[in-house]
Amino acid sequence: SQQGEEDPQALSIQEGENATMNCSYKTSINNLQWYRQNSGRGLVHLILIRSNEREKHSGRLRVTLDTSKKSSSLLITASRAADTASYFCATAASFTQGGSEKLVFGKGTKLTVNP
Amino acid sequence: DAGITQSPRYKITETGRQVTLMCHQTWSHSYMFWYRQDLGHGLRLIYYSAAADITDKGEVPDGYVVSRSKTENFPLTLESATRSQTSVYFCASSELGGRNSPLHFGNGTRLTVT
């Protein structure tokens, strides 16, 4: 399975601090995506990073990808209480492996930002 | 409003009953997906569809049936519900599939099988 595994499973920080979440995966990928899920809601897409990219930014979010280590990280800077949510990484297989239309999700990191 | 809608939001059914979860999207996205979310397992893919009348199995398809006669609808049927199918079910759509574009999720159906 190429399922991503997030680390840590849970993270608790104070408002204003940075939050870093990591994702490891097992097989070659076409892209890696990060999603956010607020309690009781569906997942919301944050960032898509392709296998030939190393870093991507979106507002307070920074995503890095290291294909040699099969890992990615999501950094949230200057966190806010509203950032409290679960964060998931998801991978799409490389085209040669077939089925690359599918996204395989990890189990998520639960982030709590305390005011 | 444009988006992806799942119904019902909550459902309680008995073991052995057939139940259908509905999913409707207004974007005309080609791809649609059904995932289930359980504690300790994250999200697992049940079925997906690349276009109308084209469906394929995901990681956990047993006990489920899907159809896609129209691009905008992708119902998921539990033929004979079991307690192990108690879960939160999410439908998602994507313009180009996971390889090239993000997924857009509905808010889920919480299903309890008693």
Side-chain angles (χ1 to χ4, degrees), chain B residues 19-79:
Chain B
V19 60
T20 296
L21 310 183
M22 304 302 292
C23 179
H24 175 79
Q25 53 110 350
T26 60
W27 292 298
S28 298
H29 285 168
S30 295
Y31 289 87
M32 296 189 76
F33 305 81
W34 274 106
Y35 288 87
R36 60 177 289 175
Q37 184 175 33
D38 304 285
L39 281 174
H41 290 281
L43 278 86
R44 292 180 290 175
L45 182 65
I46 304 171
Y47 270 96
Y48 71 104
S49 169
D53 298 322
I54 300 175
T55 62
D56 205 351
K57 296 178 180 178
E59 184 184 357
V60 288
D62 293 345
Y64 302 96
V65 174
V66 293
S67 62
R68 195 160 175 215
S69 57
K70 293 183 178 180
T71 299
E72 61 266 31
N73 296 323
F74 191 38
L76 176 73
T77 297
L78 287 67
E79 295 184 295

Coordinates of all heavy atoms in Angstrom, one line a residue, chain B residues 19-79:
Chain B
V19 N -29.7 0.0 2.2 CA -29.7 1.5 2.4 C -28.9 2.1 1.3 O -27.9 1.6 0.9 CB -29.2 1.9 3.8 CG1 -27.8 1.4 4.0 CG2 -29.3 3.4 4.0
T20 N -29.4 3.2 0.8 CA -28.7 4.0 -0.2 C -28.3 5.4 0.2 O -29.2 6.1 0.7 CB -29.6 4.1 -1.5 OG1 -29.8 2.7 -2.0 CG2 -28.9 4.9 -2.6
L21 N -27.1 5.7 0.0 CA -26.6 7.0 0.3 C -26.4 7.8 -1.0 O -25.9 7.3 -1.9 CB -25.2 6.9 1.1 CG -25.1 6.0 2.3 CD1 -23.8 6.1 2.9 CD2 -26.2 6.3 3.3
M22 N -26.9 9.0 -0.9 CA -26.9 9.8 -2.2 C -25.8 10.8 -2.2 O -25.4 11.3 -1.2 CB -28.3 10.5 -2.3 CG -29.5 9.6 -2.2 SD -29.5 8.3 -3.5 CE -29.7 9.3 -5.0
C23 N -25.3 11.1 -3.4 CA -24.3 12.1 -3.7 C -24.6 12.8 -5.0 O -24.8 12.1 -6.0 CB -22.9 11.4 -3.7 SG -21.6 12.6 -4.0
H24 N -24.6 14.1 -4.9 CA -24.9 14.9 -6.1 C -23.9 16.1 -6.2 O -23.7 16.8 -5.2 CB -26.3 15.5 -6.0 CG -26.7 16.4 -7.1 ND1 -27.1 16.0 -8.3 CD2 -26.8 17.8 -7.1 CE1 -27.4 17.0 -9.1 NE2 -27.2 18.1 -8.4
Q25 N -23.3 16.3 -7.4 CA -22.4 17.4 -7.6 C -22.9 18.2 -8.8 O -23.4 17.7 -9.7 CB -21.0 16.9 -7.8 CG -20.8 15.8 -8.9 CD -20.1 16.3 -10.1 OE1 -19.8 17.5 -10.3 NE2 -19.7 15.4 -11.0
T26 N -22.6 19.5 -8.6 CA -23.1 20.5 -9.6 C -22.0 21.0 -10.6 O -22.3 21.8 -11.4 CB -23.8 21.7 -9.0 OG1 -22.8 22.3 -8.1 CG2 -25.0 21.2 -8.1
W27 N -20.8 20.5 -10.4 CA -19.7 21.0 -11.2 C -19.5 20.2 -12.6 O -18.7 20.6 -13.4 CB -18.4 20.8 -10.5 CG -18.2 21.7 -9.3 CD1 -18.3 23.1 -9.3 CD2 -18.0 21.3 -7.9 NE1 -18.1 23.6 -8.0 CE2 -17.9 22.5 -7.2 CE3 -17.9 20.1 -7.3 CZ2 -17.7 22.5 -5.8 CZ3 -17.7 20.1 -5.9 CH2 -17.6 21.2 -5.2
S28 N -20.2 19.1 -12.7 CA -20.0 18.2 -13.9 C -18.6 17.7 -13.9 O -18.0 17.4 -15.0 CB -20.2 19.0 -15.2 OG -21.6 19.4 -15.3
H29 N -18.0 17.4 -12.7 CA -16.7 16.8 -12.6 C -16.8 15.3 -13.2 O -17.8 14.6 -12.9 CB -16.3 16.7 -11.2 CG -15.7 18.0 -10.7 ND1 -15.5 18.3 -9.4 CD2 -15.4 19.2 -11.3 CE1 -15.0 19.5 -9.2 NE2 -15.0 20.1 -10.4
S30 N -15.8 14.9 -13.8 CA -15.8 13.5 -14.4 C -15.7 12.5 -13.3 O -16.3 11.4 -13.3 CB -14.6 13.4 -15.4 OG -14.8 14.2 -16.5
Y31 N -14.8 12.7 -12.3 CA -14.5 11.7 -11.3 C -15.3 11.9 -10.0 O -15.5 13.0 -9.6 CB -13.0 11.8 -10.9 CG -12.1 11.3 -12.0 CD1 -11.7 12.2 -13.0 CD2 -11.7 10.0 -12.1 CE1 -10.8 11.7 -14.0 CE2 -10.9 9.5 -13.1 CZ -10.4 10.4 -14.1 OH -9.6 10.0 -15.1
M32 N -15.8 10.8 -9.5 CA -16.4 10.8 -8.2 C -16.0 9.6 -7.4 O -15.6 8.6 -7.9 CB -18.0 10.8 -8.4 CG -18.5 12.0 -9.0 SD -20.3 12.1 -9.0 CE -20.6 12.6 -7.3
F33 N -16.0 9.8 -6.1 CA -15.4 8.8 -5.2 C -16.3 8.6 -3.9 O -16.9 9.6 -3.5 CB -14.0 9.3 -4.7 CG -13.0 9.7 -5.7 CD1 -13.1 10.9 -6.4 CD2 -12.0 8.8 -6.1 CE1 -12.2 11.3 -7.4 CE2 -11.1 9.1 -7.1 CZ -11.2 10.4 -7.7
W34 N -16.2 7.4 -3.4 CA -16.8 7.2 -2.1 C -15.7 6.7 -1.1 O -15.0 5.7 -1.4 CB -17.9 6.1 -2.1 CG -19.2 6.7 -2.5 CD1 -19.9 6.5 -3.7 CD2 -20.1 7.4 -1.7 NE1 -21.1 7.2 -3.7 CE2 -21.3 7.7 -2.4 CE3 -20.1 7.9 -0.3 CZ2 -22.4 8.4 -1.9 CZ3 -21.1 8.6 0.2 CH2 -22.3 8.9 -0.6
Y35 N -15.6 7.4 0.0 CA -14.7 7.0 1.1 C -15.5 6.7 2.4 O -16.6 7.3 2.6 CB -13.7 8.1 1.4 CG -12.6 8.3 0.4 CD1 -12.8 9.2 -0.7 CD2 -11.4 7.7 0.5 CE1 -11.8 9.4 -1.6 CE2 -10.4 7.9 -0.4 CZ -10.6 8.8 -1.5 OH -9.6 9.0 -2.4
R36 N -15.0 5.8 3.2 CA -15.5 5.7 4.6 C -14.4 6.1 5.5 O -13.2 5.9 5.3 CB -16.0 4.3 4.9 CG -15.0 3.2 4.8 CD -15.7 1.9 5.1 NE -15.9 1.8 6.6 CZ -16.5 0.7 7.1 NH1 -17.0 -0.3 6.4 NH2 -16.8 0.7 8.4
Q37 N -14.8 6.7 6.6 CA -13.9 7.2 7.6 C -14.2 6.6 9.0 O -15.3 6.7 9.5 CB -13.9 8.7 7.8 CG -12.9 9.3 8.7 CD -12.8 10.8 8.8 OE1 -13.8 11.5 8.6 NE2 -11.6 11.3 8.9
D38 N -13.2 5.9 9.5 CA -13.4 5.2 10.8 C -12.2 5.5 11.7 O -11.0 5.6 11.2 CB -13.4 3.7 10.6 CG -14.5 3.2 9.6 OD1 -15.7 3.3 10.0 OD2 -14.2 2.9 8.5
L39 N -12.4 5.6 13.0 CA -11.3 5.8 13.9 C -10.3 4.7 13.7 O -10.6 3.6 13.7 CB -11.8 5.8 15.3 CG -12.5 7.1 15.8 CD1 -13.1 6.9 17.2 CD2 -11.6 8.3 15.8
G40 N -9.0 5.2 13.7 CA -7.9 4.2 13.6 C -7.6 3.8 12.1 O -6.6 3.2 11.9
H41 N -8.5 4.1 11.2 CA -8.3 3.7 9.8 C -8.2 4.9 8.9 O -7.8 4.7 7.7 CB -9.4 2.8 9.3 CG -9.4 1.5 10.0 ND1 -8.6 0.4 9.6 CD2 -10.1 1.0 11.0 CE1 -8.8 -0.6 10.3 NE2 -9.7 -0.3 11.2
G42 N -8.5 6.1 9.3 CA -8.5 7.2 8.4 C -9.5 7.0 7.3 O -10.6 6.5 7.6
L43 N -9.3 7.5 6.1 CA -10.2 7.4 5.0 C -9.8 6.2 4.1 O -8.7 6.1 3.7 CB -10.3 8.7 4.2 CG -11.1 9.8 4.7 CD1 -10.3 10.6 5.7 CD2 -11.6 10.7 3.5
R44 N -10.8 5.4 3.8 CA -10.5 4.3 2.9 C -11.5 4.4 1.7 O -12.7 4.6 1.9 CB -10.7 3.0 3.6 CG -9.6 2.7 4.7 CD -9.8 1.4 5.4 NE -11.0 1.4 6.3 CZ -11.5 0.4 6.9 NH1 -10.9 -0.8 6.8 NH2 -12.6 0.5 7.7
L45 N -10.9 4.2 0.5 CA -11.7 4.3 -0.7 C -12.6 3.0 -0.9 O -12.1 1.9 -0.9 CB -10.7 4.5 -1.9 CG -11.4 4.6 -3.2 CD1 -12.2 5.9 -3.3 CD2 -10.3 4.6 -4.3
I46 N -13.8 3.3 -1.2 CA -14.8 2.1 -1.4 C -14.9 1.9 -2.9 O -14.6 0.8 -3.4 CB -16.2 2.5 -0.8 CG1 -16.0 2.8 0.7 CG2 -17.1 1.3 -1.0 CD1 -17.3 3.4 1.3
Y47 N -15.3 2.9 -3.6 CA -15.5 2.8 -5.1 C -15.2 4.2 -5.7 O -15.3 5.2 -5.0 CB -16.9 2.4 -5.5 CG -17.2 1.0 -5.6 CD1 -17.8 0.3 -4.5 CD2 -16.9 0.3 -6.8 CE1 -18.0 -1.1 -4.7 CE2 -17.2 -1.1 -6.9 CZ -17.8 -1.8 -5.9 OH -18.0 -3.1 -6.0
Y48 N -14.9 4.2 -6.9 CA -14.7 5.5 -7.6 C -15.2 5.3 -9.1 O -15.4 4.2 -9.6 CB -13.3 6.0 -7.6 CG -12.3 5.3 -8.4 CD1 -11.8 5.8 -9.6 CD2 -11.8 4.1 -8.0 CE1 -10.9 5.2 -10.4 CE2 -10.8 3.4 -8.7 CZ -10.4 4.0 -9.9 OH -9.4 3.3 -10.7
S49 N -15.4 6.4 -9.7 CA -16.0 6.4 -11.1 C -15.3 7.5 -11.9 O -15.1 8.7 -11.4 CB -17.5 6.8 -11.0 OG -18.0 7.0 -12.3
A50 N -14.8 7.1 -13.1 CA -14.1 8.1 -13.9 C -15.1 8.8 -14.8 O -14.7 9.9 -15.4 CB -13.1 7.3 -14.7
A51 N -16.3 8.3 -15.0 CA -17.3 9.0 -15.9 C -18.6 8.2 -15.7 O -18.6 7.1 -15.1 CB -16.8 8.9 -17.3
A52 N -19.6 8.7 -16.3 CA -20.9 8.0 -16.3 C -20.7 6.6 -16.8 O -20.0 6.4 -17.8 CB -21.9 8.8 -17.1
D53 N -21.3 5.6 -16.1 CA -21.2 4.2 -16.5 C -19.9 3.6 -16.4 O -19.7 2.4 -16.9 CB -21.8 4.0 -17.9 CG -23.2 4.4 -18.1 OD1 -24.0 4.2 -17.1 OD2 -23.6 5.0 -19.1
I54 N -18.9 4.2 -15.8 CA -17.6 3.6 -15.5 C -17.3 3.7 -14.0 O -17.2 4.8 -13.5 CB -16.5 4.4 -16.3 CG1 -16.7 4.4 -17.8 CG2 -15.1 3.8 -16.0 CD1 -15.8 5.2 -18.6
T55 N -17.2 2.5 -13.4 CA -16.9 2.5 -12.0 C -15.8 1.5 -11.7 O -15.6 0.6 -12.5 CB -18.2 2.1 -11.2 OG1 -18.6 0.8 -11.5 CG2 -19.3 3.1 -11.4
D56 N -15.1 1.6 -10.6 CA -14.1 0.7 -10.3 C -13.9 0.6 -8.8 O -14.3 1.5 -8.0 CB -12.7 1.1 -10.9 CG -11.8 0.0 -11.1 OD1 -12.1 -1.1 -10.6 OD2 -10.7 0.2 -11.7
K57 N -13.5 -0.6 -8.3 CA -13.3 -0.8 -6.9 C -12.2 -0.1 -6.3 O -11.2 0.1 -6.9 CB -13.2 -2.3 -6.7 CG -14.3 -3.2 -7.1 CD -14.1 -4.7 -6.9 CE -15.3 -5.5 -7.3 NZ -15.0 -7.0 -7.1
G58 N -12.4 0.2 -5.0 CA -11.3 0.8 -4.2 C -10.7 -0.2 -3.3 O -10.7 -1.4 -3.6
E59 N -10.4 0.2 -2.1 CA -9.7 -0.6 -1.1 C -10.7 -1.5 -0.4 O -10.3 -2.7 -0.1 CB -9.0 0.3 -0.1 CG -8.2 -0.4 0.9 CD -7.6 0.6 1.9 OE1 -7.7 1.8 1.7 OE2 -6.9 0.1 2.9
V60 N -11.9 -1.1 -0.1 CA -12.8 -1.8 0.7 C -14.2 -1.9 0.0 O -15.2 -1.4 0.6 CB -12.9 -1.2 2.1 CG1 -11.7 -1.5 2.9 CG2 -13.2 0.3 2.1
P61 N -14.4 -2.6 -1.1 CA -15.6 -2.5 -1.8 C -16.7 -3.6 -1.4 O -17.9 -3.4 -1.8 CB -15.2 -2.9 -3.3 CG -14.0 -3.8 -3.1 CD -13.3 -3.3 -1.8
D62 N -16.3 -4.6 -0.6 CA -17.2 -5.7 -0.3 C -18.4 -5.2 0.5 O -18.3 -4.5 1.5 CB -16.5 -6.8 0.5 CG -15.4 -7.5 -0.4 OD1 -15.5 -7.3 -1.6 OD2 -14.6 -8.1 0.2
G63 N -19.6 -5.6 0.0 CA -20.8 -5.2 0.7 C -21.5 -3.9 0.1 O -22.5 -3.5 0.6
Y64 N -20.8 -3.3 -0.8 CA -21.3 -2.1 -1.4 C -21.5 -2.2 -2.9 O -20.8 -3.0 -3.6 CB -20.3 -0.9 -1.2 CG -19.9 -0.7 0.3 CD1 -18.8 -1.3 0.8 CD2 -20.7 0.2 1.0 CE1 -18.4 -1.0 2.2 CE2 -20.3 0.4 2.4 CZ -19.2 -0.2 2.9 OH -18.9 0.1 4.2
V65 N -22.5 -1.4 -3.4 CA -22.8 -1.4 -4.8 C -22.9 0.1 -5.2 O -23.4 0.9 -4.5 CB -24.1 -2.1 -5.2 CG1 -24.4 -1.9 -6.6 CG2 -23.9 -3.6 -4.9
V66 N -22.3 0.4 -6.4 CA -22.5 1.8 -6.9 C -23.0 1.8 -8.3 O -22.9 0.8 -9.0 CB -21.1 2.6 -6.9 CG1 -20.6 2.8 -5.4 CG2 -20.1 1.9 -7.7
S67 N -23.5 2.9 -8.7 CA -24.0 3.1 -10.1 C -23.7 4.6 -10.4 O -23.6 5.4 -9.6 CB -25.4 2.8 -10.2 OG -26.2 3.6 -9.4
R68 N -23.6 4.8 -11.7 CA -23.4 6.2 -12.1 C -24.1 6.4 -13.5 O -23.4 6.4 -14.5 CB -22.0 6.6 -12.2 CG -21.8 8.1 -12.3 CD -20.5 8.6 -11.8 NE -20.4 10.0 -12.0 CZ -19.2 10.6 -12.3 NH1 -18.1 9.9 -12.5 NH2 -19.1 11.9 -12.5
S69 N -25.4 6.5 -13.6 CA -26.1 6.6 -14.8 C -26.0 8.1 -15.3 O -26.1 8.3 -16.5 CB -27.5 6.2 -14.7 OG -28.1 7.0 -13.6
K70 N -25.8 9.0 -14.4 CA -25.7 10.4 -14.8 C -24.4 11.0 -14.2 O -24.0 10.6 -13.0 CB -26.9 11.3 -14.2 CG -28.2 11.0 -14.9 CD -29.3 11.9 -14.4 CE -30.6 11.6 -15.1 NZ -31.6 12.6 -14.6
T71 N -23.7 11.9 -14.8 CA -22.5 12.4 -14.4 C -22.6 13.0 -13.0 O -21.7 12.9 -12.2 CB -22.0 13.5 -15.3 OG1 -21.8 13.0 -16.6 CG2 -20.7 14.2 -14.9
E72 N -23.7 13.7 -12.7 CA -23.8 14.4 -11.4 C -24.2 13.6 -10.2 O -24.1 14.1 -9.1 CB -24.8 15.5 -11.6 CG -26.2 15.1 -11.9 CD -26.5 15.1 -13.4 OE1 -25.6 14.9 -14.2 OE2 -27.7 15.3 -13.8
N73 N -24.6 12.3 -10.4 CA -25.0 11.5 -9.3 C -24.2 10.3 -9.1 O -23.8 9.6 -10.1 CB -26.5 11.1 -9.4 CG -27.4 12.3 -9.4 OD1 -27.2 13.3 -8.7 ND2 -28.4 12.3 -10.2
F74 N -23.9 9.9 -7.9 CA -23.1 8.7 -7.6 C -23.6 8.0 -6.3 O -23.0 8.2 -5.3 CB -21.6 9.1 -7.5 CG -20.7 7.9 -7.5 CD1 -20.9 6.8 -8.3 CD2 -19.5 8.0 -6.7 CE1 -20.0 5.8 -8.3 CE2 -18.6 6.9 -6.8 CZ -18.8 5.8 -7.6
P75 N -24.7 7.3 -6.4 CA -25.3 6.7 -5.2 C -24.5 5.5 -4.7 O -23.9 4.8 -5.6 CB -26.7 6.3 -5.6 CG -26.6 6.2 -7.1 CD -25.6 7.1 -7.5
L76 N -24.4 5.3 -3.4 CA -23.8 4.1 -2.8 C -24.8 3.3 -2.1 O -25.5 3.9 -1.2 CB -22.7 4.6 -1.8 CG -22.0 3.5 -1.0 CD1 -21.0 2.8 -1.9 CD2 -21.2 4.1 0.2
T77 N -24.9 2.1 -2.4 CA -25.9 1.2 -1.8 C -25.2 0.1 -1.0 O -24.3 -0.5 -1.4 CB -26.8 0.5 -2.9 OG1 -27.5 1.6 -3.5 CG2 -27.8 -0.4 -2.2
L78 N -25.7 0.0 0.3 CA -25.3 -1.2 1.1 C -26.4 -2.2 0.9 O -27.6 -2.0 1.3 CB -25.2 -0.7 2.6 CG -24.0 0.1 3.0 CD1 -24.1 1.5 2.4 CD2 -23.9 0.2 4.5
E79 N -26.1 -3.3 0.3 CA -27.1 -4.3 -0.1 C -27.8 -4.9 1.1 O -29.0 -5.1 1.2 CB -26.5 -5.3 -1.0 CG -26.0 -4.8 -2.3 CD -25.5 -5.9 -3.2 OE1 -24.5 -6.5 -2.9 OE2 -26.1 -6.1 -4.3

